[in-house]
């Protein structure tokens, strides 16, 4: 079988020897050139290259130079791979990213506009699990499904979004275990800090002033935790800050939503309404707010260790104040004749415009570093 296999000189993946194009990266084979290249490289070298580049910038469809990467905003790229069929090997290569052996070197980091897809599979997995638990409760009236519905219902959208931000992390220098660790520890830690800050700062009723105070307290608590995980010099990329902030925000969102479900969802219709409403609103809430703060801190910190001066930088402050403002307006008792959350919808659009700008800035940062 190995006799019918050759290695792509562009991405080092195995393909059939009679193939004219690489099925992974689309590279067009020139048999004479490729055979000479394969003869020059031993099987061990090819395997090493494949391992090193499995998470790097190898998906170059035309084999062009990486310096020609396009950095303009292309929203379609964020969903285009969702509708394509992906192999088990692709999933495995994605999940091993961020380790010592798989993280690309600085000059090999891909600065193209990302094309994530794994987040959609994670969402589908959680959604099917949730529907199965709902069937247990509604059809078979099994009350033991209730805790599972609460947790999976709270987890589905935030964790799927977290995987989305993990896929956007082009440096591929943070592995999935660290992301999950920050998700849990960061979520709990930020909730604990929120409770501590709430004892110090009086909130009162959730009116306009109260909403501002809640925004200050919760965004500050989440940011402190995100800043802790960004404190070292290795987390120097804007996309690192975006990911770690999203991890803290996702953990906060999941535990908060699960708490609301437990406290107010004693009746099934109310529970389902909480799950669906907070799931839909999660796209514009804690996850993206903390992602913005984390990215802003990484933007000013770069490859330095975290210092007090970084918190005083105007570039950071404008994003951090913006997150507090978005959160405060989100919680304000703005009158609305419709039951639909129009204000939150507008705030979600604004937040994602900022996220897209930060993603673009992160890719441009990588492109600049590669040219140094």
């Amino acid at each position: 079988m190995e006799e019918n296999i050759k290695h792509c000189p562009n991405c080092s993946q195995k393909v059939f020897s009679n193939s004219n194009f690489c099925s992974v990266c689309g590279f067009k084979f020139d048999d004479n050139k490729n055979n000479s290249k394969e003869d020059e490289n031993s099987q061990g070298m090819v395997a090493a290259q494949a391992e090193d580049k499995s998470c790097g910038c190898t998906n170059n469809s035309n084999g062009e130079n990486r310096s020609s990467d396009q950095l303009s905003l292309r929203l379609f790229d964020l969903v285009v791979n969702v509708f394509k069929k992906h192999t088990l090997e692709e999933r495995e290569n994605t999940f091993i990213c961020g380790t010592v052996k798989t993280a690309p070197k600085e000059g090999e980091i891909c600065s193209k506009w990302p094309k994530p897809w794994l987040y959609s599979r994670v969402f589908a997995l959680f959604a099917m699990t949730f529907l199965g638990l709902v069937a247990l409760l509604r059809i078979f009236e099994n009350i033991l499904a209730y805790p599972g519905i609460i947790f999976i219902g709270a987890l589905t959208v935030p964790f799927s979004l977290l995987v989305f931000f993990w896929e956007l992390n082009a440096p591929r220098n943070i592995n999935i275990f660290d992301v999950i660790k920050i998700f849990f520890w960061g979520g709990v830690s930020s909730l604990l800090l929120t409770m501590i800050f709430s004892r110090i700062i009086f909130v009162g009723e959730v009116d306009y002033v109260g909403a501002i105070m809640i925004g200050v307290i919760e965004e500050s608590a989440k940011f402190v935790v995100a800043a802790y995980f960004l404190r070292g010099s290795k987390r120097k990329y804007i996309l690192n800050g975006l990911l770690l902030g999203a991890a803290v925000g996702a953990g906060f969102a999941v535990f908060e939503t699960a708490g609301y479900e437990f406290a107010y969802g004693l009746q099934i219709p109310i529970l389902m309404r909480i799950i669906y409403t907070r799931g839909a609103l999660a796209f514009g809430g804690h996850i993206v707010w903390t992602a913005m703060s984390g990215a802003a801190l990484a933007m000013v910190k770069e490859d330095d260790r975290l210092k007090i001066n970084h918190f005083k930088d105007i570039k950071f402050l404008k994003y951090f104040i913006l997150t507090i403002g978005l959160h405060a307006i989100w919680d304000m008792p703005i009158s609305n004749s419709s039951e639909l959350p129009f204000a939150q919808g507008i705030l979600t659009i604004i937040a994602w415009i900022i996220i897209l700008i930060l993603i673009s800035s992160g890719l441009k940062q990588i492109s600049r570093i590669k040219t140094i």
Side-chain angles (χ1 to χ4, degrees), residues 184-195:
F184 282 108
W185 288 3
V188 172
S189 300
S190 56
L191 283 169
L192 287 171
L193 278 178
T194 297
M195 293 298 101

Side-chain angles (χ1 to χ4, degrees), residues 31-207:
D31 289 336
N32 293 329
K33 291 182 180 179
N34 291 338
N35 288 336
S36 63
K37 284 189 177 182
E38 286 192 63
D39 291 338
E40 292 173 2
N41 295 292
S42 64
Q43 291 294 326
M45 284 291 290
V46 171
Q49 290 174 355
E51 185 177 48
D52 290 340
K53 295 184 178 181
S54 61
C55 296
C57 187
T58 58
N59 56 342
N60 199 337
S61 59
N62 296 314
E64 70 268 18
N65 191 294
R66 292 188 185 103
S67 63
S68 63
D69 291 343
Q70 298 296 317
L71 298 178
S72 57
L73 293 175
R74 295 184 294 187
L75 299 180
F76 184 66
D77 283 348
L78 298 179
V79 296
V80 63
N81 277 356
V82 170
F83 308 104
K84 294 181 180 179
K85 186 176 180 180
H86 297 275
T87 64
L88 175 62
E89 184 179 10
E90 287 180 279
R91 294 199 299 270
E92 290 175 344
N93 284 342
T94 302
F95 275 117
I96 64 173
C97 290
T99 66
V100 175
K101 292 185 177 181
T102 59
K105 297 178 181 178
E106 198 165 73
E108 297 175 348
I109 296 174
C110 187
S111 57
K112 286 184 178 181
W113 196 246
K115 297 180 181 179
W117 61 273
L118 188 63
Y119 70 96
S120 64
R121 306 314 194 258
V122 172
F123 176 81
L125 174 64
F126 283 133
M128 289 187 291
T129 303
F130 176 76
L131 292 175
L133 290 168
V134 171
L136 282 172
L137 182 63
R138 287 187 174 276
I139 299 174
F140 299 100
E141 299 181 350
N142 190 333
I143 197 66
L144 297 179
Y146 225 87
I149 290 174
I150 289 176
F151 184 67
I152 298 298
L155 186 69
T156 299
V157 174
F159 196 83
S160 300
L161 272 176
L162 177 56
V163 174
F164 171 81
F165 281 108
W166 181 58
E167 291 186 90
L168 293 182
N169 184 43
R172 298 290 188 264
N173 59 339
I174 304 175
N175 61 65
I176 190 64
F177 176 79
D178 285 343
V179 172
I180 295 174
K181 178 181 69 177
I182 295 170
F183 167 77
F184 282 108
W185 288 3
V188 172
S189 300
S190 56
L191 283 169
L192 287 171
L193 278 178
T194 297
M195 293 298 101
I196 294 171
F197 292 166
S198 297
R199 297 291 179 90
I200 300 172
I201 303 174
F202 178 74
V203 175
E205 296 183 3
V206 187
D207 51 13

